[in-house]
Amino acid sequence: MKRHFLTSIGILIFLVSCKQKETQKMEIPEQKPTTELKVENKIATEQFVENDSLAFALESELEKFALQNSMFKTASKAYQNHHDKTVIDTIKTLTYDKSELEFYKSATWEHIIGGIIKNPEIVLSKSLKIGIQKSTLENKLKTKITSDLVILGNLEQTSLFTFHFENGILESIKFQGYFD
């Protein structure tokens, strides 16, 4: 008597063969999840505002502010240049309280590549800071804001500022720059 066990997608098929008669038995085991995950799905719509000159101006202002201000603590780590493996560049992280900005530094230049602002002491364009109302950003963008997530960026989207509002108040500003 030969027995073959085949398992496929939770179905166990038991075949018995012998000279007299072939029988088949199928069992479908009950599958129970081993863990349960409860995930809150908070779907937020984004509003994109394209304004090349304002996006680049804010990026430049943020970079200048961070590099010239002593309020930031600086940490550096080596980073291998992916265009020339013989060159080691630097990633600098500037932190102040709940805010963090990252810079890419080579031998010849230094540029902001990203970060998040969560402190009102960091002010952009004389009026954009944590704690402002939507109307302040509307006035700066000259656009009606219809979302709690407003993304200001240039056409190529290599310089993006995401303004996150809760109950009409600015909670954070996230910056994403181009990094090659």
Side-chain angles (χ1 to χ4, degrees):
M1 183 183 282
K2 296 181 183 175
R3 292 183 181 172
H4 300 278
F5 294 97
L6 302 172
T7 306
S8 176
I9 312 172
I11 299 174
L12 177 64
I13 300 174
F14 175 68
L15 298 170
V16 177
S17 65
C18 60
K19 290 182 182 177
Q20 298 130 352
K21 201 174 180 183
E22 191 172 298
T23 61
Q24 214 178 33
K25 182 179 179 183
M26 287 181 41
E27 291 181 30
I28 302 174
E30 183 181 340
Q31 294 182 350
K32 295 181 181 177
T34 55
T35 58
E36 285 185 21
L37 295 175
K38 291 186 180 184
V39 178
E40 286 186 46
N41 289 332
K42 188 176 182 181
I43 300 171
T45 58
E46 300 173 346
Q47 180 179 353
F48 183 78
V49 177
E50 182 185 324
N51 186 326
D52 288 32
S53 59
L54 183 56
F56 286 128
L58 292 179
E59 179 179 348
S60 178
E61 185 179 346
L62 180 57
E63 181 175 294
K64 188 175 185 179
F65 178 83
L67 292 175
Q68 293 178 350
N69 200 307
S70 62
M71 67 194 271
F72 291 97
K73 293 181 183 174
T74 304
S76 299
K77 64 181 177 181
Y79 182 83
Q80 185 176 24
N81 185 305
H82 59 271
H83 294 290
D84 183 349
K85 300 293 183 195
T86 64
V87 175
I88 302 296
D89 292 328
T90 304
I91 298 289
K92 283 178 36 176
T93 304
L94 280 64
T95 56
Y96 171 71
D97 195 26
K98 298 177 275 182
S99 300
E100 183 175 286
L101 303 172
E102 282 196 324
F103 286 78
Y104 187 88
K105 183 176 180 359
S106 72
T108 57
W109 64 276
E110 183 171 5
H111 191 66
I112 190 165
I113 57 173
I116 187 156
I117 300 168
K118 291 187 174 185
N119 294 89
E121 295 85 357
I122 302 170
V123 182
L124 300 173
S125 192
K126 298 181 185 174
S127 62
L128 301 180
K129 64 179 184 174
I130 303 307
I132 64 168
Q133 295 183 2
K134 280 185 183 181
S135 60
T136 304
L137 184 61
E138 283 179 335
N139 292 336
K140 184 59 76 178
L141 299 176
K142 297 178 175 93
T143 301
K144 177 73 176 152
I145 294 177
T146 58
S147 175
D148 286 337
L149 282 176
V150 179
I151 301 172
L152 166 68
N154 60 334
L155 177 65
E156 297 83 16
Q157 297 189 16
T158 57
S159 183
L160 298 171
F161 285 86
T162 303
F163 299 88
H164 177 242
F165 288 89
E166 284 188 26
N167 300 319
I169 304 297
L170 184 62
E171 293 291 316
S172 68
I173 303 169
K174 183 178 179 183
F175 171 70
Q176 294 171 277
Y178 180 68
F179 179 62
D180 178 32

